[in-house]
Amino acid sequence: MTQEISSPVPASGFLVAALYHFVSVPRFAKLRAPLQALCEENGVRGTLLLAHEGINGTIAGPADGIRRVLAFLRSQPEFAALEHKESHAGEMPFLRMKVRLKKEIVTMGVEDIDPTRSVGTYVAPEDWNALISDPETIVIDTRNDYETAIGMFKGAVDPNTKTFREFPDWVRSNTGLHNKPKIAMYCTGGIRCEKATAFMKEQGFDKVYHLKGGILKYLEEVPAQDSLWEGACFVFDERVSVLHGLEEGEHKLCRACRHPLTAEEIASPLYEAGVSCPHCHATRSEEDRLRFRQRQMQMDLARKRGERHLGK
């Protein structure tokens, strides 16, 4: 088993880079070790997934370190055209660096879906409002329920999926999606829509569109006063959520169920830090809560010592 090593964390702010690229990479397993080592050497943390179909992940670290990692990736022939999105974090949003080998870089569970072969039409953030305001368009959020709970585009359809694996069955069971000629789809950074639009094309939908760069790019480029986005965007790191201009939101994460929480939910009598929240309280046993309290105590003790508890 490969040992995970925590990289040193600089005292200043951190550059966050979200990236993905669909491309055939038969040698993907050989890239894991040098990429892991380079990230650790440069104080970069986060998660990168490598598979036959490409790369996906988010990393954070000092700006120079992030630049070196991106330069290394783009020096590989398969990733020469790699694009990424940047934001910033006041504190390191990841505990460690993980480069993982996967069957898929985003798991849909449908065989032979290849975004390099067939995919929807990309729509730039500045053109997105016009598309989703068109009465001939059905707008679909391809994210999961805990993500859509804190923010969505105005008028979008929420599939209420627990995982992306449920999305294909949701599409197959919703014949009403054929009632309008245009389908517009979006997700956090764009990667899920690559597969979702490819799947929709295979299901016989013709006019399929997706937001280029995802919600993150839209929030970065579209002024708040012109926005059709409502709420905050969930992100998979310790920031929990971001707002327009990619500023950090105010949501906190329930450490028991990983659901983002509003200030009102944190004020609920069902919320106990690290133990339960209104979303999971009814599903937890007393044994669960006892175990979570013990973990939270260890985390609190580590924080008092100026350390970061790996169970966080």
Side-chain angles (χ1 to χ4, degrees):
M1 179 180 294
T2 302
Q3 182 180 7
E4 293 177 349
I5 303 174
S6 296
S7 310
V9 179
S12 58
F14 300 89
L15 180 63
V16 182
L19 58 96
Y20 75 87
H21 190 60
F22 281 100
V23 64
S24 177
V25 193
R27 65 185 186 106
F28 73 99
K30 295 181 180 179
L31 295 174
R32 199 207 75 82
L35 185 54
Q36 178 83 34
L38 180 65
C39 289
E40 291 170 357
E41 290 167 5
N42 286 278
V44 172
R45 295 181 181 180
T47 299
L48 291 172
L49 307 180
L50 292 168
H52 281 284
E53 65 181 10
I55 188 171
N56 174 33
T58 303
I59 52 176
D64 287 348
I66 294 293
R67 303 292 183 219
R68 291 188 189 99
V69 173
L70 293 174
F72 168 79
L73 287 172
R74 292 185 175 117
S75 71
Q76 310 304 310
E78 299 92 339
F79 302 136
L82 175 71
E83 297 181 2
H84 76 282
K85 292 174 287 295
E86 293 185 358
S87 57
H88 294 84
E91 297 182 0
M92 168 55 80
F94 298 105
L95 294 176
R96 57 183 72 83
M97 186 64 222
K98 296 174 284 188
V99 181
R100 291 177 169 172
L101 305 181
K102 292 286 192 175
K103 183 178 179 181
E104 299 177 78
I105 57 174
V106 58
T107 304
M108 175 181 267
V110 178
E111 296 292 334
D112 300 323
I113 295 296
D114 184 0
T116 66
R117 184 178 65 239
S118 176
V119 73
T121 301
Y122 295 102
V123 179
E126 62 267 25
D127 299 322
W128 183 248
N129 286 357
L131 174 64
I132 67 173
S133 299
D134 185 343
E136 295 295 296
T137 301
I138 296 176
V139 186
I140 302 174
D141 193 318
T142 66
R143 300 172 304 152
N144 299 322
D145 55 3
Y146 59 91
E147 300 170 82
T148 59
I150 64 171
M152 293 177 62
F153 277 106
K154 184 178 181 180
V157 176
D158 182 0
N160 288 305
T161 53
K162 298 293 183 186
T163 72
F164 192 43
R165 283 182 174 271
E166 297 177 9
F167 184 77
D169 284 340
W170 178 83
V171 171
R172 295 185 187 108
S173 64
N174 280 269
T175 57
L177 296 177
H178 291 273
N179 291 344
K180 294 184 179 181
K182 300 177 184 177
I183 298 286
M185 312 176 79
Y186 68 89
C187 58
T188 307
I191 184 169
R192 271 177 281 193
C193 285
E194 298 275 356
K195 280 198 169 179
T197 59
F199 174 76
M200 297 294 278
K201 299 279 280 187
E202 291 205 357
Q203 293 298 301
F205 293 89
D206 182 28
K207 297 181 179 179
V208 182
Y209 306 85
H210 52 137
L211 177 58
K212 186 172 178 57
I215 303 164
L216 295 180
K217 198 64 176 176
Y218 182 92
L219 295 180
E220 177 185 356
E221 295 189 356
V222 176
Q225 62 269 23
D226 299 329
S227 176
L228 294 181
W229 175 261
E230 299 176 334
C233 177
F234 181 86
V235 289
F236 295 87
D237 58 57
E238 292 299 312
R239 294 173 297 170
V240 185
S241 67
V242 295
L243 306 169
H244 274 280
L246 300 183
E247 295 182 5
E248 292 185 42
E250 297 181 354
H251 290 84
K252 304 298 181 184
L253 203 65
C254 174
R255 300 295 170 185
C257 68
R258 310 298 293 177
H259 198 288
L261 304 175
T262 64
E264 290 77 14
E265 290 169 332
I266 292 173
S268 166
L270 300 180
Y271 173 76
E272 183 179 347
V275 178
S276 68
C277 76
H279 299 280
C280 67
H281 186 273
T283 66
R284 302 298 183 185
S285 66
E286 284 305 319
E287 290 78 9
D288 290 334
R289 282 191 269 273
L290 177 60
R291 187 173 70 256
F292 293 157
R293 286 191 187 100
Q294 291 172 339
R295 181 185 64 181
Q296 186 64 32
M297 287 176 58
Q298 294 300 317
M299 290 170 57
D300 291 341
L301 288 171
R303 190 179 298 111
K304 289 179 181 179
R305 294 194 296 264
E307 302 171 354
R308 298 193 71 173
H309 188 268
L310 293 183
K312 183 177 179 182

